[in-house]
Amino acid sequence: MIYSKPEQDKNFLVNSTNYQQLHQQAFADPNAFWLEMAKRLEWIKFPTTSGNWQFQKPISIKWFEDGLLNVATNCVDRHAKATPEKTAILWVNDQGAKTVALSYSELLKEVNAMAHVLQCLGVQKGDRVIIYMPMILETAYAMLACARIGAIHSVVFGGFSPESLAGRIEDCGAKIVITANEGVRGGKTIPLKANVDTALLQTLQVKKVLVINGTTTSVPMVVDRDVVYEPDYSKTVDPVAMNAEDPLFILYTSGSTGKPKGVLHTSGGYLTYASLTQQWIFDCKEDDVYWCTADVGWITGHSYVIYGPLANGATTVMFEGVPNYPKPDRLWKIIDDLKVSIFYTAPTAIRSLMQAGDEWLQTTTRDSLRILGSVGEPINQEAWEWYYQKVGKTRCPIVDTWWQTETGGILITPLPGINNLKPSSATTPFFGIQPVLLNEQGQEVHEKAAEGRLALKASWPGQMRTVYGDHARFEETYFSQFPGYYFSGDGAKRDEDGDYWITGRVDDVLNVSGHRLGTAEIETAATHDHSIIETAVVGFPHAIKGEGIMVFAIPAGNTVHKEEELRSIIRGSIRSQIGPIANPDEIHIVKGLPKTRSGKIMRRILRCIARSEFEKIGDVSTLADPLIVEHIIEVVCAKA
Ligand code: WTA
């Protein structure tokens, strides 16, 4: 099925009149194109150079490297001057009872106040600041306040455990943590400050904790370390002039090996890319009310709740709650209430609301909507159709946007005024983006219709620059398997028309409800307790989450625990080491794992078992213990 693009294409920012020319410019001279695009920002000194990068070792990526700017000035001050009364952020609380419309001039006042408080706490340019917060306005102030004074923020999602938080604090060497007394989400409270206290028992790194009291609950404060946030409006903090390549933030993300990596994004290139893609892909104009439902703890929240829309002077919605609380009509009601015209969410949310039933759509019209977006995982056709037919009433193009924490912004997506829509296809690369499909030998597949590993052969301004503190890991992870390319870790198909269909990760990374989790990371967490000696983790298709987590665990020979107890020990370990987001869907206690004679776990076999694709297991005679496969199948089937 193909849905034709809307007829009135002239109304779109990118339309049939300007598309070809932009496409040509980006193709013929990417450096000139991107330098032109950088003009959308306000620079203290406009750059004379554009891209300066190489994908051969030593890998080096720089954009606009002699430019000077301040990211917060771009997102706040210039709009506070031009459109002071315009709403910058529309915040909706968890209960849905309260909405705050914050204008650009108010945003400036608040960001300035927090920047001043941070300065008084000794935070300087280049310092790392951990932000462990719920979706409240102060979180936006905190990010922008860091940007204003040149500090590097690292937002840690509130669903991560104290252990994960401590690991990130240590890795980036943060001196200060900004947190809230507690978070409220879906009617439940999250003890953020208590989690910080626990995390700080494990690291001496942090000297100050700035606590925002978002609710009336009071929390214990540590003398000389903890400070209650009181905005100080008395002083003006001048934005610090930053080089385009000065770091803006670090965001941790899971990979196929080891602990999470600190993805580092810099200032000028990132903001150019986030702002351009937000405006053109979502066709975001002056009067739009734009809502991306992501939490700011993820890259989508960085680029498409905060930096992209605010750099464009748009009105961005920030929602504290979750889609199905108190009822599954929650998002639709907010759309009607706030007259949201552009709505961007994740397939997992769409599937869960679809499952809740069409009746939850009936009390709302959603007539204000004009563009819909999807991100985070492949969107299945059924969910796409429901989103298109029922939520958007066939009036709104869906932009299915493929990108990653590492890419900073969207790379492959339809443009609403240009592409015909194919449910489940992310369709075409954005301007200047050069995807390729590689075969197992690392050669480009040139046929139009093909399948392979998705890689990029040229840089773009939003690309990550390094893994914080470990450039060798950056080179190893993304550039060593296929030298000369940035390898995404995803597989994709390309059809006869040249449109891309992302098929999902080809490495040991799971995508659970749109959140990336490394199997190695979960395995390490699951064996934290001595009663478990070894585990293997694989994903399996899950109706709502996209992918579910299945753990196979071998108990210690001398354990006195019963199976049910072992399961709860594993759950407890995963919760404490990573956080509730990695809670397994199924745990199977087994006697052994399928291993080669050299001891390597054959996850492929476990994946077949997890998917009940027993016929695909194939020959197991080369395993150290071929009989173990039958045993594991029995255990899994007995539980089913
Ligand atoms: C997956 C989220 C299919 C993909 C922005 C990628 C998608 C990973 C899509 C990055 C999409 C994201 N279609 N798959 N439209 N968008 N993905 O870093 O596997 O949290 O590698 O960034 O999500 O997840 P991350």
Side-chain angles (χ1 to χ4, degrees):
M1 183 74 196
I2 298 182
Y3 294 94
S4 305
K5 64 176 181 150
E7 273 168 24
Q8 294 293 334
D9 83 329
K10 299 280 180 300
N11 298 337
F12 290 95
L13 293 170
V14 180
N15 53 54
S16 57
T17 318
N18 59 12
Y19 178 78
Q20 276 312 331
Q21 198 193 350
L22 288 165
H23 186 70
Q24 266 311 314
Q25 280 169 355
F27 184 74
D29 190 349
N31 279 338
F33 174 80
W34 286 117
L35 203 56
E36 185 62 29
M37 294 303 122
K39 289 185 182 155
R40 61 192 297 107
L41 301 185
E42 184 179 295
W43 295 82
I44 298 164
K45 175 181 176 289
F46 191 74
T48 60
T49 57
S50 188
N52 177 10
W53 53 270
Q54 59 171 29
F55 281 4
Q56 296 289 350
K57 288 183 191 177
I59 311 294
S60 156
I61 300 161
K62 290 181 179 151
W63 285 88
F64 316 131
E65 59 189 307
D66 63 346
L68 294 176
L69 81 169
N70 182 279
V71 166
T73 308
N74 274 280
C75 293
V76 187
D77 303 48
R78 62 172 172 157
H79 310 302
K81 211 183 286 166
T83 52
E85 302 308 322
K86 181 168 177 179
T87 301
I89 306 179
L90 267 171
W91 179 80
V92 185
N93 81 341
D94 188 55
Q95 300 296 324
K98 191 171 156 198
T99 302
V100 177
L102 189 88
S103 69
Y104 272 97
S105 66
E106 287 164 325
L107 180 62
L108 174 60
K109 190 172 145 208
E110 298 295 347
V111 170
N112 186 81
M114 198 175 289
H116 180 54
V117 169
L118 290 178
Q119 273 185 337
C120 293
L121 291 172
V123 181
Q124 295 174 352
K125 181 179 171 185
D127 287 346
R128 276 79 60 213
V129 175
I130 292 275
I131 299 178
Y132 185 61
M133 296 270 285
M135 283 288 279
I136 57 177
L137 284 165
E138 285 82 357
T139 309
Y141 309 159
M143 293 165 78
L144 293 161
C146 287
R148 189 170 197 83
I149 61 176
I152 306 166
H153 63 67
S154 183
V155 183
V156 177
F157 175 60
F160 280 116
S161 67
E163 190 76 30
S164 294
L165 178 62
R168 286 154 170 79
I169 291 170
E170 278 284 309
D171 188 81
C172 73
K175 281 202 297 202
I176 172 166
V177 175
I178 308 178
T179 191
N181 55 341
E182 62 181 3
V184 190
R185 209 165 169 255
K188 299 192 191 102
T189 52
I190 305 154
L192 295 171
K193 170 63 166 62
N195 286 353
V196 171
D197 291 339
T198 310
L200 295 190
L201 296 175
Q202 298 173 43
T203 165
L204 297 173
Q205 186 66 44
V206 168
K207 303 289 175 273
K208 292 284 173 202
V209 177
L210 183 61
V211 183
I212 286 123
N213 282 321
T215 66
T216 49
T217 309
S218 65
V219 288
M221 300 290 276
V222 174
V223 180
D224 291 337
R225 189 195 72 186
D226 301 350
V227 180
V228 173
Y229 179 62
E230 300 276 358
D232 179 349
Y233 302 111
S234 68
K235 286 240 166 40
T236 302
V237 177
D238 289 331
V240 173
M242 303 289 283
N243 184 274
E245 281 301 331
D246 280 336
L248 176 64
F249 65 83
I250 299 165
L251 189 58
Y252 285 86
T253 191
S254 298
S256 48
T257 56
K259 58 185 171 73
K261 301 178 287 283
V263 168
L264 183 93
H265 283 288
T266 57
S267 303
Y270 170 80
L271 197 65
T272 302
Y273 199 74
S275 125
L276 182 72
T277 49
Q278 194 274 335
Q279 190 172 61
W280 286 6
I281 294 167
F282 298 101
D283 192 52
C284 189
K285 304 197 195 83
E286 192 61 34
D287 296 329
D288 278 304
V289 176
Y290 162 90
W291 182 16
C292 165
T293 66
D295 190 284
V296 290
W298 310 111
I299 189 69
T300 311
H302 283 59
S303 301
Y304 298 112
V305 177
I306 305 290
Y307 289 115
L310 294 178
N312 293 328
T315 298
T316 181
V317 177
M318 212 175 155
F319 173 41
E320 186 177 30
V322 294
N324 45 17
Y325 175 82
K327 304 247 168 59
D329 55 1
R330 191 52 204 279
L331 302 183
W332 320 136
K333 283 201 161 136
I334 297 178
I335 289 172
D336 275 10
D337 287 351
L338 305 184
K339 306 233 171 333
V340 171
S341 52
I342 305 170
F343 179 69
Y344 189 30
T345 195
T348 184
I350 299 168
R351 284 192 299 264
S352 91
L353 296 175
M354 176 171 83
Q355 203 187 51
D358 294 359
E359 62 268 29
W360 295 106
L361 286 165
Q362 270 145 27
T363 50
T364 55
T365 70
R366 303 166 311 286
D367 283 344
S368 53
L369 288 176
R370 123 185 136 70
I371 307 274
L372 297 173
S374 170
V375 60
E377 51 172 315
I379 175 165
N380 49 312
Q381 302 226 354
E382 198 190 352
W384 194 102
E385 291 284 356
W386 187 79
Y387 198 28
Y388 185 74
Q389 310 280 354
K390 301 284 171 62
V391 177
K393 301 194 279 194
T394 71
R395 292 182 305 103
C396 311
I398 297 179
V399 289
D400 175 0
T401 63
W402 177 81
W403 60 296
Q404 310 179 292
T405 305
E406 293 86 342
T407 71
I410 298 163
L411 299 191
I412 302 183
T413 178
L415 290 172
I418 299 296
N419 294 74
N420 293 327
L421 301 172
K422 297 178 182 175
S424 279
S425 171
T427 70
T428 46
F430 189 69
F431 299 108
I433 302 301
Q434 297 186 45
V436 291
L437 295 178
L438 302 176
N439 64 20
E440 299 212 353
Q441 290 73 46
Q443 293 148 338
E444 283 183 35
V445 187
H446 292 292
E447 290 82 29
K448 214 167 199 183
E451 185 163 4
R453 277 129 221 264
L454 183 59
L456 282 305
K457 69 178 196 184
S459 183
W460 63 97
Q463 185 171 22
M464 75 182 281
R465 303 301 197 250
T466 191
V467 170
Y468 185 75
D470 196 348
H471 197 64
R473 190 169 175 206
F474 176 58
E475 296 185 326
E476 173 62 27
T477 309
Y478 303 103
F479 298 93
S480 65
Q481 198 175 343
F482 302 112
Y485 299 92
Y486 164 81
F487 176 44
S488 67
D490 279 332
K493 288 183 187 159
R494 194 166 50 211
D495 66 18
E496 304 281 333
D497 304 323
D499 285 324
Y500 286 86
W501 302 68
I502 313 299
T503 50
R505 303 290 305 191
V506 293
D507 53 10
D508 287 326
V509 173
L510 306 184
N511 191 330
V512 181
S513 299
H515 303 149
R516 277 164 65 170
L517 292 162
T519 51
E521 209 182 325
I522 308 175
E523 285 162 7
T524 309
T527 46
H528 191 67
D529 188 277
H530 295 309
S531 52
I532 306 296
I533 51 169
E534 193 174 13
T535 60
V537 169
V538 295
F540 66 99
H542 187 285
I544 306 287
K545 298 179 180 181
E547 203 162 20
I549 301 174
M550 192 178 286
V551 180
F552 297 90
I554 309 176
N558 60 358
T559 185
V560 293
H561 295 298
K562 301 207 179 68
E563 285 205 0
E564 213 31 65
E565 290 167 344
L566 290 168
R567 283 194 198 98
S568 71
I569 288 172
I570 293 172
R571 274 184 209 290
S573 299
I574 293 176
R575 273 184 99 84
S576 73
Q577 299 298 301
I578 303 176
I581 56 166
N583 194 20
D585 297 278
E586 287 186 29
I587 301 174
H588 299 292
I589 308 297
V590 292
K591 287 191 210 136
L593 293 167
K595 288 187 181 173
T596 59
R597 292 207 175 92
S598 59
K600 188 173 170 320
I601 299 176
M602 297 289 287
R603 281 165 211 285
R604 189 189 63 75
I605 294 177
L606 293 173
R607 270 195 291 266
C608 291
I609 297 175
R611 285 158 204 239
S612 304
E613 295 174 343
F614 306 120
E615 70 291 350
K616 290 195 185 156
I617 293 175
D619 182 17
V620 294
S621 60
T622 55
L623 294 181
D625 174 11
L627 292 180
I628 205 70
V629 175
E630 219 162 289
H631 159 72
I632 297 173
I633 294 176
E634 264 167 35
V635 170
V636 172
C637 292
K639 208 170 162 242

